[in-house]
Amino acid sequence: MRENSQSILRYYHCRVCDTTHEVSLQKKISEKQSKFPFSYFFLHGELKNILTTLYLDNDLEIRGVDVQKLTDDDIFSKDQVVSITSTLVREIEDLRKENDELRLKLKKTKKVH
């Protein structure tokens, strides 16, 4: 992965899989946060059965890490489901807004030409 003007790379070492991971974070994710540090979730591992929660500050620096190997018995707690769902809903809404803006720009560009 490469860092660009819209993303930043961060690294952390997972104690569960004993691997250092490179994580590409979109810089805009911190803009919509009201509290810091905020949670950033992702799954990894051969079976995508390791849930990692990164706690990120306003500059997207990792301030804490929580790693949990998921089993069939304890996939997600209620708090984790609420937090993950909230994050996904915010991201979906952001993508919808960006899509609407791009469609409008495209429409305006087509009118000019």
Side-chain angles (χ1 to χ4, degrees):
M1 282 185 228
R2 286 209 139 129
E3 195 170 307
N4 61 45
S5 63
Q6 297 177 353
S7 67
I8 191 163
L9 294 178
R10 294 292 182 241
Y11 300 87
Y12 83 97
H13 187 79
C14 175
R15 61 178 163 70
V16 174
C17 67
D18 196 27
T19 303
T20 297
H21 296 276
E22 178 181 89
V23 181
S24 178
L25 301 166
Q26 294 296 312
K27 290 179 180 178
K28 67 180 180 176
I29 65 171
S30 67
E31 295 171 3
K32 307 225 177 5
Q33 303 301 320
S34 59
K35 295 180 183 177
F36 296 94
F38 66 95
S39 303
Y40 178 85
F41 301 95
F42 66 98
L43 294 170
H44 65 93
E46 188 175 319
L47 301 175
K48 300 290 185 204
N49 63 337
I50 300 172
L51 173 66
T52 297
T53 306
L54 299 178
Y55 298 97
L56 304 171
D57 67 14
N58 190 38
D59 297 319
L60 299 179
E61 294 291 338
I62 299 171
R63 296 299 176 194
V65 176
D66 185 33
V67 181
Q68 181 177 357
K69 188 166 186 173
L70 303 176
T71 65
D72 291 337
D73 297 340
D74 65 350
I75 300 243
F76 296 108
S77 71
K78 182 178 179 182
D79 290 339
Q80 287 172 320
V81 169
V82 168
S83 182
I84 291 169
T85 303
S86 297
T87 301
L88 289 173
V89 167
R90 277 194 310 269
E91 284 297 314
I92 289 169
E93 183 61 21
D94 290 346
L95 288 170
R96 187 196 63 74
K97 286 178 184 177
E98 285 179 30
N99 188 24
D100 289 346
E101 290 170 8
L102 288 172
R103 285 177 184 265
L104 184 61
K105 287 178 183 178
L106 182 61
K107 190 175 182 179
K108 287 178 181 179
T109 302
K110 285 182 178 180
K111 284 182 181 180
V112 172
H113 295 291

